[in-house]
Amino acid sequence: MRITGDYVPPPSKSYTHRALVAAALADGESRVENPLISDDTLATVNAIESMGPRLLRDGDSIIARPSALSPPGDVVNCGESGTTIRFMASLASLTSGGYTILTGGPRLRERPMGPLLDALSQLGVRAESARGDGRPPLIVRGGGMPGGSAEIAASESSQYVSSILLSAPRSRDGVELRVSGMVSRTYVDATLSVMEAFGARYERSGYERFAVEPGGYRPTTFAVPGDYSSAAYPMALVAAVGGSLAVRGLGDLPQADAEIVRVLESMGASVRRIGHGDVVVESRGSLRGGEFDLRDSPDLLPVVAVLGLLASGRTVIRGIAHTRLKESDRPAALVEEIRRIGGSAALGDDWLEVEELRSPRDAVVDDHGDHRIFMAFAVASAALGGRFALARSRSYTKSYPGFIEDMMHLGLEIY
Ligand SMILES: O=C(O)C1=C[C@@H](OP(=O)(O)O)[C@@H](O)[C@H](O)C1
Ligand SMILES: C=C(OP(=O)(O)O)C(=O)O
């Protein structure tokens, strides 16, 4: 099997969340062009609208009509979106008063939020975990974010930092954040790009200190780029089976998962940039294993692990401790499913080792309710000629509702 074609990935989930928050906080009407419409971004739309601003569909855009933020009339259900609940925790402090209760699905209620709540408290916000264990449901008191200086440990998630940064322009005194041990750092660059586009003023020293001035956001038009995290699946497939794929519209804003380009290149594929934000992946279909550090691009773990199955030799992936805290315990889920299909994998605290899959077994893979596990094994199954099946699941609608359709468009039967 070889794949040749043109492919337009869905819009970036991370940029959609960020642009919606900044647009809702701006002092006038903004337009977010090419937003991702998926379970997670709709959770953000609903959460923001529950506090007053209107986010209206207009063709391929969302028009944001900001208003003073008021406490929601009901609990806010963030579904399974970590980005949503974490971004909303800071936003809720900007409501006029009362309390906002943020909750979500079963897995989201297991995911940690403690360091974010702690940093918000240092900034004068009352933000607590209902069960006192740092996990949702969260209760946030409105009345404004006084601001000042806070220290935050971000070794579990960069979203703690992005959350505070995004709401900080609307704080009373401005915010200084001193950050230690941050993972997934490129996501904070994405946050700052959006803040800049909406006219916020800040200073930074690397990934250790950020100072945001009060002054709010200016309304603007923001175009969401294509999503490297989603594009990584068809790119990996083409690299593994051979062929040539032009990927359009990825843009040149910072995206953590643009790291897939370096991974594919070092495994033996060629990736060329053609013009503004387009890339072409070319491969003869024989990849070799390698060693990768995914500390700053954790969402690539499932697809890189699957590439390890499809490449010769051994692949070692480091910097993955924080991927245990996502939609599933991803390293554990990957090892279980790799073994189920006849592969061999070993796991340490912060690393995963995968061997080339020589004799795949007929099996039905369980996605553990995790969109990225589903999409990664769909790639593996397609590359191995449909050797194993995936238990029916719609987990992919979290970030990529058109996944099955797009894969079929590339000529694959993955169901
Ligand atoms: O800020 C963001 O848009 C994201 C940050 C990352 O999370 P962590 O910072 O928790 O690793 C990533 O895994 C998630 O899918 C999206
Ligand atoms: C971890 C993810 O998202 P979130 O943290 O927003 O739930 C993801 O999309 O892989």
Side-chain angles (χ1 to χ4, degrees), residues 51-313:
M51 300 182 207
R54 302 299 315 279
L55 298 170
L56 308 166
R57 288 287 286 277
D58 178 34
D60 283 343
S61 296
I62 290 178
I63 310 267
R65 298 228 169 99
S67 70
L69 297 178
S70 48
D74 197 354
V75 298
V76 179
N77 188 341
C78 301
E80 287 294 355
S81 176
T83 312
T84 304
I85 197 166
R86 288 170 177 149
F87 287 7
M88 292 308 118
S90 297
L91 193 78
S93 74
L94 304 176
T95 56
S96 51
Y99 294 87
T100 299
I101 299 173
L102 300 165
T103 187
R107 176 61 181 173
L108 192 69
R109 282 182 276 118
E110 289 175 0
R111 294 177 66 186
M113 316 278 149
L116 170 59
L117 303 176
D118 187 56
L120 284 169
S121 306
Q122 295 173 56
L123 299 172
V125 172
R126 275 187 56 193
E128 282 169 53
S129 149
R131 291 176 291 170
D133 61 357
R135 295 164 211 275
L138 307 180
I139 305 170
V140 182
R141 185 158 174 183
M145 180 188 284
S149 190
E151 284 182 19
I152 185 163
S155 57
E156 293 170 340
S157 174
S158 67
Q159 292 173 355
Y160 303 156
V161 176
S162 289
S163 166
I164 292 176
L165 291 175
L166 276 169
S167 289
R170 289 281 296 267
S171 64
R172 191 188 63 205
D173 302 333
V175 167
E176 182 200 29
L177 270 188
R178 277 172 288 130
V179 183
S180 59
M182 186 155 67
V183 291
S184 306
R185 295 179 303 182
T186 315
Y187 287 98
V188 167
D189 296 320
T191 302
L192 294 169
S193 301
V194 172
M195 291 173 63
E196 239 169 84
F198 283 85
R201 294 221 304 243
Y202 68 89
E203 279 172 15
R204 69 184 289 184
S205 318
Y207 295 95
E208 278 84 45
R209 182 182 170 275
F210 303 89
V212 182
E213 290 181 21
Y217 286 116
R218 253 191 342 249
T220 192
T221 296
F222 184 87
V224 175
D227 196 325
Y228 264 104
S229 314
S230 297
Y233 303 97
M235 288 167 78
L237 181 61
V238 171
V241 302
S244 163
L245 186 72
V247 187
R248 310 279 180 196
L250 292 164
D252 45 21
L253 290 170
Q255 290 197 51
D257 291 350
E259 181 67 15
I260 189 66
V261 171
R262 279 202 279 167
V263 171
L264 294 178
E265 282 175 339
S266 82
M267 291 183 124
S270 123
V271 187
R272 275 186 296 124
R273 274 199 160 268
I274 46 162
H276 190 70
D278 294 357
V279 300
V280 178
V281 183
E282 281 164 333
S283 166
R284 293 214 194 86
S286 59
L287 299 180
R288 52 179 181 271
E291 291 211 13
F292 305 105
D293 188 332
L294 297 183
R295 192 176 145 90
D296 288 328
S297 38
D299 292 353
L300 291 180
L301 173 65
V303 74
V304 176
V306 156
L307 281 165
L309 292 173
L310 303 173
S312 63

Side-chain angles (χ1 to χ4, degrees), residues 256-382:
D257 291 350
E259 181 67 15
I260 189 66
V261 171
R262 279 202 279 167
V263 171
L264 294 178
E265 282 175 339
S266 82
M267 291 183 124
S270 123
V271 187
R272 275 186 296 124
R273 274 199 160 268
I274 46 162
H276 190 70
D278 294 357
V279 300
V280 178
V281 183
E282 281 164 333
S283 166
R284 293 214 194 86
S286 59
L287 299 180
R288 52 179 181 271
E291 291 211 13
F292 305 105
D293 188 332
L294 297 183
R295 192 176 145 90
D296 288 328
S297 38
D299 292 353
L300 291 180
L301 173 65
V303 74
V304 176
V306 156
L307 281 165
L309 292 173
L310 303 173
S312 63
R314 171 177 302 169
T315 294
V316 182
I317 310 170
R318 302 183 201 284
I320 62 165
H322 56 310
T323 67
R324 292 184 176 279
L325 307 170
K326 306 219 179 267
E327 287 82 331
S328 67
D329 174 342
R330 285 183 177 159
L334 283 165
V335 169
E336 197 179 324
E337 300 311 311
I338 287 171
R339 290 183 181 155
R340 196 193 299 281
I341 61 170
S344 160
L347 185 60
D349 281 350
D350 199 28
W351 56 266
L352 172 70
E353 201 176 279
V354 181
E355 300 285 343
E356 175 182 3
L357 177 60
R358 288 176 186 278
S359 14
R361 247 201 324 250
D362 291 335
V364 180
V365 168
D366 174 0
D367 70 0
H368 298 244
D370 186 330
H371 57 143
R372 299 203 192 278
I373 304 279
F374 181 95
M375 294 189 283
F377 278 95
V379 166
S381 175

